[in-house]
Amino acid sequence: IFAAMHLLLLVPLHYYLWRRQGPLPPHRPHGDGGSVAAETATPAAHGLRSFWLVAISFAMSSALITALGTHLVPLLEAKQLGASAYIVSMLMGPAQVAIRLTNATVWRNLHPLSSALIAALALPVSAALLLWSSGSVAVAAAFSILFGVGQGLFSITRGTVPLALFGPLGYGARLGKLAAVRTV
């Protein structure tokens, strides 16, 4: 049913939007003097170091998100929240959606590094709140909401930060390399 909905609803919608906007402009090769990539790419001397710093940051954030997300309900139950653990854990989803909408509307002009900084702060602060949440539904709820904010922003910054730092040239390959480091 889900696949049929995508085929019947989304394929025509994408086709309509594509026809309305028209095809993408032709790719200009690097070095033509007017290329956006030439203007926004990180200098080679800092490129490799910057890549590894971004890769390590993304890997650490992914490890925290995966560990907490996988064991969220048992961790909250271990904090003596009882049945409230399920309700508290559900707050994460709406927080993810709300921060993505905020990022797309209110913060649409915010630089990707600013969004990444907010995500990078939200994740460890939420983990600290989890440590202090023993028996407190309010603190556990704050953890879940802040964790959702960090996770929601992180899913966006995984794509926007590399583009902002390194430019569009080699973007797809760079995202693949970052994903490989994150996966390991």
Side-chain angles (χ1 to χ4, degrees):
I1 292 171
F2 193 59
M5 285 174 41
H6 275 81
L7 289 173
L8 295 174
L9 298 174
L10 296 180
V11 169
L13 178 62
H14 283 273
Y15 179 74
Y16 167 77
L17 292 173
W18 177 77
R19 293 274 309 200
R20 187 170 172 214
Q21 179 180 355
L24 295 174
H27 174 70
R28 293 185 297 178
H30 181 62
D32 66 354
S35 172
V36 174
E39 296 170 10
T40 61
T42 299
H46 299 290
L48 188 59
R49 184 182 70 170
S50 297
F51 171 85
W52 281 108
L53 290 172
V54 169
I56 290 166
S57 170
F58 283 6
M60 292 173 63
S61 295
S62 290
L64 180 61
I65 288 168
T66 301
L68 287 178
T70 302
H71 304 288
L72 188 59
V73 172
L75 285 170
L76 291 171
E77 286 177 331
K79 294 293 183 175
Q80 294 89 33
L81 293 177
S84 298
Y86 296 95
I87 301 216
V88 166
S89 67
M90 291 186 331
L91 295 173
M92 182 181 67
Q96 288 176 335
V97 173
I99 197 65
R100 289 175 183 150
L101 287 173
T102 300
N103 192 62
T105 56
V106 178
W107 293 350
R108 70 179 171 272
N109 295 324
L110 191 66
H111 193 277
L113 290 178
S114 297
S115 295
L117 180 61
I118 294 167
L121 290 172
L123 290 170
V125 170
S126 71
L129 283 174
L130 179 63
L131 292 173
W132 297 322
S133 67
S134 290
S136 172
V137 174
V139 175
F143 149 75
S144 189
I145 291 168
L146 199 54
F147 181 61
V149 165
Q151 189 174 8
L153 275 180
F154 179 68
S155 69
I156 295 168
T157 60
R158 283 189 331 224
T160 58
V161 166
L163 185 61
L165 288 179
F166 307 112
L169 189 63
Y171 177 71
R174 189 170 295 107
L175 284 184
K177 290 175 185 173
L178 288 168
V181 172
R182 202 174 67 243
T183 301
V184 169

